[in-house]
Amino acid sequence: MRSRLTLRNAEAAPLKAIEPFSAAIFAERLLRDLKGGYRLISYFAQKTGGQNARLYAVIAYDDDGLLRVAATDVAGAFESLTTDTPQAHLFEREIFEQTGLVPKGHPWLKPVRFTGASPEGMGVMKFHRVEGAAVHEVAVGPVHAGIIEPGHFRFQCEGETVLHLDTALGYQHRGVERSLKGGPDKRSIHYIETLAGDTTIGHATAWCQALESLAGVDISFRARGIREIALELERLANHVGDIGALAGDIGFLPTAAWCGRLRGDFLNMTAVICGNRFGRGLVRPGGVAFDLAKSQVADILNRLNEAHEGLDAAVPMLFDSPSVLSRFEETGRLSIHHAVDLGLVGPAARACGIEHDVRKNFTRRPEPSTRFTISTWSTGDVFARGMVRWLEIQRSIAYVRDRIRGLPEDGSMRPMKPPRNAHVAVSLVEGWRGEICHTAITGADGKLALYKVVDPSFHNWMGLAVAMRGQQISDFPLCNKSFNLSYCGHDL
Amino acid sequence: MGLIDILLARAKQGHRTIGYPKNPPVLPELFQGRPIVRPELCRSGCGKCADVCPTGAITLPTHIKNPELLLFATSDDAGGGDDTLSLDVGRCIFCGECEKVCGDKAIEFTKEHRMAASSREALKLSGETYEMAKALDKKALKVFGRSLKLRQVSAGGCNACEADINVLNTVVFDLGRFGIQFAASPRHADGLLITGPVTKNMELALRKTWDAVPEPKIVIAVGACAINGGLYAGHAETRSGIPSWLKVDLYIPGCPPHPITILDGLLRLLGKLDE
Ligand code: SF4
């Protein structure tokens, strides 16, 4: 009997536990799962010589906290599932771009990152076109007005109303995944830390969990606690910054100014732990490279209280102001139906009412004593995406406060071992943008034969596009900020 | 929420702009600033620093590369000339690994935040001296000294440099008080501030943005990636930093540089800092 492999978060198993299905059964099962409400969280191909490749799909069973890995061997082409289940659309395009395998019947097969494009060919793809006398097209980017990463947006508009938004990314493609192959080596962790620089802790934790499970190393509870604290500080800094940016975008300056400063206060708390505002150098295989002394704990708690007070004065006034509500409510609305279909993750998904959070669904045993509540809202608009962030901010502060006081004393770093050969591990972390999924496969030599990174932005860019439908084009900056997706995390 | 409430909250938030540059900056206790390289302390000649360095920032003197020469090395060999232990702070991502493995304390990270330089050569550290960034020439200062508008281009930046540049616009740093602002259009800019290793996919956009900036114009490189490609140097997907068709006027090293380091560099460029 051919079988899928069932894993928990950050658990490894021998590769041979995955027995490939025939292509037809693989597709049928995958479709059945996705139609049944389970999520496709990673889907990639490994070349096995010539035109041949093995497809791997990782499916999340959120309620059970289980991950299933299924595989099939294909040659040259495979059946596209996109028309039946849109979650697969970008994964299939990616497989096509990376391996040349053709997803048969894919409705809009085009580049994802323009790997190997000529300078003139960069960003050139078939954009969706709406025809008609009153229809016009607006092109924005790659260089934008603010200090942000590059990407290209193509709007089809009728007057001021956006009919459709197409996104061309890939400007940030630096070859990260390719460079991780053959590792781990002295450069790997730094690639991971700069993969999406604003999510250093999130991705570094996912990487370390993957390597530790491949090596069969259990890290200390203290190290886990410090990682979790750093992860929440990263979330806090970014969420606070995002709320400030939303306020700034509609000209509500008090909250914009104060959140701009408070964001820095959270970055500086991370710097109290390790010297770097983004947490560079903190999370390392085997644990954490910096321990927390009592004085640091007190320092962070002090700063946390102060920042909390500042936030209490700065944020509620935003959500209470009628002029703000009239801009936030009903803007960039996404239905839960679309969010589920597209496989959205993170605050953007929770703002549509999807109750999913790695911190709850995929906790690693034994669970920390602190109870965790998922923050959701139901309206799926800019307001909801802002509000979910505010709820998460308050819960994260409470969580850090609790966790940092009760850190166990079992050391911060344990010796690492090399990864076991021919093993597979899937590692999930709830980054501030949502679910981070790393899948690692080692070869016969114990080196990484494949390392697949799925940043939450990979799932969510399409959500922004759909949320823009029927909106005023002038609301794009606001909608874009409410998602605040990563370009380099997507482009890798 | 009425205006009164907003004003009350405003009073509570207080004045938050830092005293820098008048007062010294407040940096984290564990801050890793400019390293000091002391070749004369390198006794064992083990070469471990270069081995662990993820970006190839460390150059060893010949006698270490060829251990048999060590027998003939004099203290002169270690100290002077090009053939000496050096650390290219332009490439360095401040991981601190070299300092950890060095038993001789030949490489040590300080809390010095002033790291910007005017030339690529000045970033190659050996010994205690460091040539800090110079101000633009008189003619340029006349044009830019009191108002400098920059267009930021991220060309493969990971959003850490970008974030810590953005921070300069907050009330904490209040960049505007120095007459420096970020412009939305290259047409309104006096120069580019570039981050990222310059991906191949961004090179054309960078060139077009540069062409759109009116003369005279300057280039500022922020972060190891922009200076030299950083970790992404040598990748086929990148240009290993700002391509040679652009002449860089100011290099600000770090991964990412602390906002204070960036601010210090910008102020030096405009001749607003003395030491
Ligand atoms: S601190 Fe800089 S020079 Fe030293 S090992 Fe790290 S990157 Fe290389």
Side-chain angles (χ1 to χ4, degrees):
Chain A
M1 182 42 205
R2 313 205 161 263
S3 64
R4 306 182 282 191
L5 170 66
T6 304
L7 292 171
R8 291 199 167 273
N9 181 16
E11 195 177 67
L15 203 50
K16 61 175 189 292
I18 309 172
E19 292 174 87
F21 294 115
S22 73
I25 294 193
F26 175 84
E28 190 197 305
R29 289 256 184 133
L30 195 55
L31 203 57
R32 198 175 65 201
D33 271 356
L34 299 185
K35 291 248 165 196
Y38 304 115
R39 296 180 305 117
L40 183 61
I41 60 169
S42 198
Y43 188 21
F44 52 89
Q46 186 178 21
K47 292 269 241 178
T48 47
Q51 289 253 301
N52 301 327
R54 179 165 289 186
L55 287 180
Y56 289 96
V58 185
I59 300 158
Y61 292 65
D62 295 326
D63 292 339
D64 311 315
L66 295 178
L67 302 161
R68 296 232 158 85
V69 190
T72 185
D73 291 318
V74 293
F78 62 106
E79 232 29 80
S80 165
L81 302 178
T82 295
T83 321
D84 290 312
T85 169
Q87 280 185 56
H89 82 102
L90 197 56
F91 286 117
E92 291 180 348
R93 281 169 58 188
E94 182 185 46
I95 291 170
F96 172 63
E97 187 172 54
Q98 288 180 345
T99 64
L101 293 175
V102 181
K104 284 183 288 183
H106 193 291
W108 51 345
L109 198 54
K110 41 193 187 182
V112 177
R113 308 194 171 96
F114 295 87
T115 309
S118 67
E120 297 74 29
M122 179 54 211
V124 180
M125 66 182 198
K126 246 180 121 179
F127 292 101
H128 277 279
R129 261 232 80 172
V130 183
E131 305 280 340
V135 174
H136 64 108
E137 195 177 60
V138 179
V140 181
V143 179
H144 302 293
I147 304 175
I148 52 170
E149 300 173 65
H152 179 85
F153 303 104
R154 191 72 65 96
F155 300 90
Q156 309 294 315
C157 301
E158 188 189 13
E160 287 291 298
T161 308
V162 175
L163 300 171
H164 181 73
L165 161 63
D166 239 349
T167 313
L169 299 177
Y171 293 92
Q172 296 281 73
H173 181 48
R174 296 163 296 171
V176 175
E177 272 182 357
R178 168 183 70 70
S179 311
L180 293 169
K181 241 170 104 173
D185 56 39
K186 64 179 177 183
R187 299 165 71 93
S188 313
I189 185 74
H190 304 293
Y191 282 122
I192 294 289
E193 288 189 331
T194 55
L195 183 159
D198 50 28
T199 317
T200 296
I201 299 291
H203 278 289
T205 303
W207 161 263
C208 291
Q209 285 181 177
L211 285 196
E212 286 147 9
S213 57
L214 286 170
V217 168
D218 279 325
I219 67 164
S220 67
F221 290 112
R222 187 177 183 80
R224 249 175 68 178
I226 294 176
R227 284 181 187 177
E228 279 170 19
I229 289 162
L231 185 70
E232 294 313 310
L233 290 178
E234 186 168 89
R235 187 181 331 278
L236 282 161
N238 284 294
H239 279 6
V240 169
D242 280 354
I243 288 184
L246 285 174
D249 232 72
I250 56 165
F252 194 76
L253 296 182
T255 304
W258 301 333
C259 282
R261 158 178 80 84
L262 290 160
R263 174 180 170 279
D265 290 350
F266 287 106
L267 293 176
N268 288 338
M269 288 181 222
T270 302
V272 167
I273 307 179
C274 67
N276 182 287
R277 288 155 54 89
F278 296 87
R280 301 277 162 88
L282 174 59
V283 181
R284 287 291 178 273
V288 285
F290 294 82
D291 203 347
L292 269 177
K294 285 226 169 65
S295 58
Q296 285 165 297
V297 170
D299 187 3
I300 291 173
L301 279 171
N302 263 340
R303 289 167 187 252
L304 202 60
N305 288 341
E306 240 177 71
H308 197 179
E309 264 177 43
L311 285 169
D312 272 342
V315 181
M317 74 162 59
L318 175 77
F319 293 117
D320 280 350
S321 298
S323 60
V324 172
L325 297 183
S326 75
R327 293 285 282 112
F328 281 8
E329 286 180 344
E330 305 278 317
T331 306
R333 193 162 188 168
L334 196 66
S335 70
I336 186 167
H337 163 77
H338 277 138
V340 169
D341 268 3
L342 293 170
L344 252 58
V345 295
R350 293 192 281 278
C352 301
I354 297 178
E355 280 208 32
H356 165 254
D357 192 310
V358 174
R359 290 172 291 173
K360 179 89 175 176
N361 300 103
F362 292 94
T363 43
R364 302 183 56 206
R365 266 136 230 243
E367 290 169 30
S369 55
T370 313
R371 270 222 246 116
F372 180 80
T373 315
I374 299 184
S375 308
T376 61
W377 206 256
S378 61
T379 47
D381 47 9
V382 170
F383 177 85
R385 287 186 284 276
M387 189 45 117
V388 164
R389 284 189 174 82
W390 176 227
L391 295 174
E392 294 195 352
I393 286 169
Q394 298 171 71
R395 286 171 178 156
S396 287
I397 291 177
Y399 188 87
V400 172
R401 236 183 232 146
D402 234 53
R403 202 86 170 91
I404 205 166
R405 285 205 195 104
L407 283 174
E409 300 282 348
D410 56 348
S412 55
M413 184 57 102
R414 297 219 171 129
M416 264 308 275
K417 289 187 246 163
R420 287 170 281 181
N421 58 10
H423 268 61
V424 55
V426 182
S427 167
L428 301 183
V429 170
E430 185 72 26
W432 64 274
R433 283 194 185 91
E435 178 182 86
I436 295 167
C437 175
H438 289 194
T439 309
I441 295 178
T442 50
D445 54 357
K447 301 255 178 270
L448 288 173
L450 188 140
Y451 200 84
K452 182 84 205 94
V453 175
V454 183
D455 185 85
S457 307
F458 192 83
H459 298 284
N460 284 6
W461 273 109
M462 194 61 198
L464 169 63
V466 174
M468 274 311 292
R469 289 197 178 159
Q471 300 297 305
Q472 302 269 302
I473 190 167
S474 51
D475 275 340
F476 176 66
L478 185 59
C479 289
N480 192 21
K481 292 237 171 63
S482 74
F483 280 86
N484 192 9
L485 301 174
S486 173
Y487 298 75
C488 56
H490 172 279
D491 292 346
L492 295 174
Chain B
M1 176 60 51
L3 185 62
I4 304 281
D5 300 300
I6 294 179
L7 289 174
L8 281 176
R10 164 73 186 83
K12 219 172 148 189
Q13 297 280 348
H15 177 81
R16 298 292 186 157
T17 306
I18 53 172
Y20 186 84
K22 258 206 206 130
N23 307 330
V26 182
L27 292 162
E29 197 69 29
L30 296 166
F31 177 72
Q32 296 249 55
R34 188 169 84 208
I36 293 186
V37 183
R38 297 192 184 88
E40 68 281 4
L41 292 187
C42 173
R43 291 269 164 254
S44 64
C46 63
K48 277 188 203 149
C49 52
D51 280 347
V52 295
C53 179
T55 60
I58 293 172
T59 310
L60 301 171
T62 333
H63 68 267
I64 293 182
K65 275 179 273 178
N66 307 308
E68 63 273 19
L69 293 179
L70 191 59
L71 294 173
F72 310 103
T74 66
S75 56
D76 266 10
D77 286 348
D82 276 348
D83 188 24
T84 176
L85 175 69
S86 70
L87 188 160
D88 181 354
V89 79
R91 281 178 182 235
C92 177
I93 58 170
F94 295 79
C95 68
E97 291 299 327
C98 51
E99 185 183 25
K100 270 189 231 156
V101 295
C102 182
D104 292 338
K105 291 204 183 309
I107 299 176
E108 217 177 332
F109 282 81
T110 68
K111 277 191 78 175
E112 176 59 70
H113 68 280
R114 295 169 298 180
M115 281 192 267
S118 298
S119 73
R120 195 64 191 84
E121 287 62 47
L123 294 169
K124 291 175 186 145
L125 301 184
S126 193
E128 315 242 340
T129 54
Y130 188 80
E131 199 188 322
M132 277 193 277
K134 290 192 277 290
L136 291 164
D137 63 42
K138 272 221 176 94
K139 219 172 115 205
L141 274 187
K142 220 171 154 208
V143 183
F144 301 131
R146 274 131 80 74
S147 162
L148 179 68
K149 297 254 195 292
L150 297 168
R151 173 61 259 184
Q152 203 277 322
V153 179
S154 166
C158 73
N159 208 24
C161 283
E162 290 78 358
D164 268 351
I165 293 164
N166 247 322
V167 145
L168 297 178
N169 286 322
T170 62
V171 291
V172 181
F173 296 91
D174 191 15
L175 191 61
R177 69 190 151 129
F178 305 107
I180 308 170
Q181 267 165 341
F182 289 97
S185 164
R187 295 263 188 239
H188 304 157
D190 303 313
L192 299 184
L193 185 145
I194 302 170
T195 53
V198 185
T199 54
K200 243 177 76 193
N201 289 353
M202 263 307 280
E203 191 176 8
L204 184 62
L206 177 62
R207 187 186 287 275
K208 287 186 179 178
T209 308
W210 173 247
D211 288 344
V213 180
E215 299 273 2
K217 48 189 170 182
I218 59 169
V219 176
I220 299 168
V222 174
C225 286
I227 293 172
N228 170 77
L231 204 57
Y232 299 91
H235 278 214
E237 294 87 350
T238 79
R239 294 288 183 231
S240 301
I242 296 174
S244 52
W245 51 264
L246 277 174
K247 189 195 146 293
V248 178
D249 299 279
L250 179 69
Y251 298 88
I252 305 178
C255 184
H258 193 279
I260 286 283
T261 301
I262 305 175
L263 182 56
D264 167 81
L266 295 175
L267 295 182
R268 272 173 211 287
L269 186 74
L270 296 185
K272 290 184 195 281
L273 290 180
D274 299 331
E275 13 89 51

